[in-house]
Amino acid sequence: MNNKIFDEWPGKPLDEILCLCRDLVEDPTYPTVKRWRENGGKVAGHFQVYFPEEIAHAAGMLPVKLRGAPVELTRADSHFGSYLCSILKTSLEIVATGELELDLFVSHPICDAARNLAAIWGRNFDYPCQILYLPQNPNSSQSAQYLSDEYNRIKKLIEKIADRSITEDDLRHSMNVFNENRRLMRELYDIKRETPWLVAAEDAYCLVSVGGMIPREEHNELLQAVIPQLKQRQVKQQDRIRVVFEGGFCEQPPLDLIRMLGRSCYLVDDDLLIGMRWIIEDVSTEGDAMFNLANAYLEKSSYSPVQHDNRKPKEEMLIRRIEASQADAVIVAAAKMCEPGLEEQVAYTHALDEKGIPYFVSEFEENMTSFEHLELQVETFLENLLFA
């Protein structure tokens, strides 16, 4: 499909491009996905945290990351208990109200609530709703082969929906597109770590987030255009605390919260939308492409509370993230009612206490609208560090 679905930005100044990205991320109506469907395209929606989008891309579908939205619940609330996290409900809400139309939905058993999401979805929509079973034991010698088989199962379903076969060349082409995409996002995060005054926290977040709602070729063009302009900015460095944000692996904090934090400190690294950046090295296109993609999930990947890999103790991985970004402190956050996130808060804070690394513990919810009290607490925490 040659028609671009996010074509407002070319030729615009950098600040206007960043504004357009913010507007798109904050728009719960998914206008780019609507344009894709108007052009005859099909859509594969997938829930957090990680999905091998290359497979859907290779079939000519648009993979769309369902990350919830700051919307009022009018239909989805009746399908879930009140004690569950917001992202489950708002993701269903934007589909149930017709704002986002899918041809496939894929979820993952990352927690007790998400484990039932595909079944709830399947009772309400007539398109395929599947669970992708990522390895429970990634340290098993058979994990890569098992996951390759799972990917091939999903591939057959996608081929049926897209009404076309996915060849090895199709998959290799998509893997190259996504390799370039992840390389560009790593370059963006290098700017965050090395010269964080050149890109606001909210802008870095939006530049990544838009990739979940447009074709990756378009996302690559956007990043290729924006990153050099960010590096050329003439912005004076300020005396701010360097902070890592941990806890955005699934439900996303409101953009206003990220904006508020970015005004108070330099957010030099984070796990926001980590699924889009899960694979941290290029995936080889030599040999069995599907096996290589599965193996990369296990061997060339980041970490999160929903993957239990003995080789990647999450507390140690957080410490490494702090050290690599030369951060002074950590915001250890968790989405309200998020069982994996709240459990990891305990382990993270114990590890940070042992290392003597300052931290601030907080909860968030995507529908938060008031930040005055939290902003005051964060500013007090940062001021105490700055003048210690």
Side-chain angles (χ1 to χ4, degrees):
M1 190 175 297
N2 296 322
N3 295 332
K4 291 187 177 181
I5 60 174
F6 184 40
D7 59 359
E8 295 89 348
W9 67 267
K12 297 288 197 306
L14 177 60
D15 287 343
E16 286 189 35
I17 295 174
L18 296 175
C19 183
L20 287 168
C21 291
R22 291 194 296 270
D23 289 345
L24 180 56
V25 170
E26 290 190 290
D27 190 339
T29 67
Y30 285 80
T32 52
V33 181
K34 286 184 172 66
R35 291 175 200 162
W36 177 267
R37 294 190 67 87
E38 289 168 0
N39 293 332
K42 294 187 176 181
V43 179
H46 59 92
F47 193 66
Q48 302 275 33
V49 172
Y50 173 79
F51 176 74
E53 294 179 303
E54 291 91 333
I55 303 174
H57 180 274
M61 297 183 73
L62 177 66
V64 173
K65 176 171 279 296
L66 289 170
R67 50 185 172 75
V71 296
E72 182 181 354
L73 298 177
T74 60
R75 298 182 62 178
D77 217 18
S78 62
H79 298 281
F80 298 98
S82 60
Y83 51 87
L84 298 178
C85 58
S86 292
I87 187 174
L88 297 169
K89 303 172 186 178
T90 59
S91 293
L92 182 62
E93 180 73 22
I94 57 177
V95 178
T97 55
E99 295 293 2
L100 178 63
E101 293 185 56
L102 306 177
D103 298 282
L104 167 68
F105 174 70
V106 181
S107 184
H108 321 279
I110 58 174
C111 65
D112 287 343
R115 184 175 290 113
N116 298 308
L117 193 56
I120 294 172
W121 219 277
R123 288 198 293 268
N124 289 276
F125 306 103
D126 58 5
Y127 49 77
C129 303
Q130 286 284 317
I131 297 176
L132 172 62
Y133 291 97
L134 300 169
Q136 291 295 305
N137 179 12
N139 303 126
S140 168
S141 61
Q142 299 301 312
S143 288
Q145 186 57 57
Y146 160 80
L147 187 54
S148 179
D149 293 342
E150 266 293 279
Y151 284 1
N152 276 305
R153 179 180 67 84
I154 295 295
K155 170 178 170 281
K156 292 177 183 177
L157 176 63
I158 288 174
E159 288 176 325
K160 184 177 180 180
I161 295 169
D163 194 26
R164 58 170 284 187
S165 297
I166 300 173
T167 67
E168 280 286 298
D169 286 343
D170 290 333
L171 187 56
R172 290 191 178 100
H173 169 72
S174 294
M175 289 166 65
N176 283 327
V177 170
F178 278 76
N179 279 342
E180 172 66 4
N181 187 245
R182 288 185 289 262
R183 184 195 67 77
L184 289 165
M185 287 190 285
R186 290 196 296 271
E187 189 174 354
L188 175 62
Y189 266 70
D190 286 342
I191 297 174
K192 279 171 60 78
R193 282 186 289 268
E194 296 166 11
T195 52
W197 50 91
L198 295 181
V199 57
E202 62 183 292
D203 291 331
Y205 176 82
C206 290
L207 284 169
V208 171
S209 185
V210 294
M213 57 188 80
I214 63 176
R216 280 307 200 281
E217 292 90 344
E218 289 193 39
H219 194 215
N220 287 349
E221 290 180 19
L222 173 67
L223 294 177
Q224 287 164 355
V226 166
I227 287 174
Q229 295 183 63
L230 290 174
K231 292 180 177 180
Q232 294 169 7
R233 268 180 158 176
Q234 300 298 314
V235 180
K236 186 177 180 181
Q237 179 180 359
Q238 297 181 1
D239 187 15
R240 293 188 185 182
I241 297 293
R242 298 170 60 91
V243 174
V244 163
F245 183 94
E246 190 79 10
F249 61 94
C250 185
E251 183 169 328
Q252 300 300 290
L255 191 59
D256 282 343
L257 176 56
I258 298 173
R259 183 179 294 122
M260 179 272 286
L261 294 173
R263 290 197 304 262
S264 304
C265 62
Y266 286 135
L267 285 182
V268 293
D269 207 347
D270 56 65
D271 64 344
L272 298 168
L273 294 170
I274 193 63
M276 296 181 64
R277 304 179 287 117
W278 181 256
I279 296 175
I280 58 177
E281 300 176 25
D282 283 355
V283 183
S284 173
T285 57
E286 301 295 324
D288 186 336
M290 191 69 81
F291 182 87
N292 293 344
L293 188 58
N295 194 58
Y297 170 81
L298 301 165
E299 304 295 339
K300 298 181 177 181
S301 55
S302 187
Y303 70 97
S304 88
V306 298
Q307 189 199 50
H308 307 290
D309 190 332
N310 293 332
R311 299 166 300 177
K312 297 187 290 185
K314 289 175 278 293
E315 301 91 324
E316 291 183 17
M317 298 301 288
L318 173 57
I319 299 299
R320 291 182 197 176
R321 173 171 282 165
I322 296 165
E323 293 173 346
S325 60
Q326 298 182 320
D328 305 303
V330 189
I331 294 176
V332 185
K336 187 178 180 181
M337 303 294 182
C338 175
E339 183 180 349
L342 292 168
E343 285 182 353
E344 288 303 327
Q345 272 191 334
V346 177
Y348 285 151
T349 55
H350 285 172
L352 294 169
D353 282 334
E354 290 178 0
K355 290 286 186 178
I357 299 173
Y359 60 86
F360 178 84
V361 177
S362 178
E363 287 187 21
F364 65 84
E365 192 171 19
E366 60 190 2
N367 281 325
M368 288 174 66
T369 57
S370 177
F371 307 96
E372 289 83 0
H373 183 60
L374 178 59
E375 184 172 14
L376 179 61
Q377 290 180 316
V378 171
E379 288 180 350
T380 300
F381 167 72
L382 295 172
E383 286 176 3
N384 289 338
L385 290 178
L386 192 61
F387 297 109

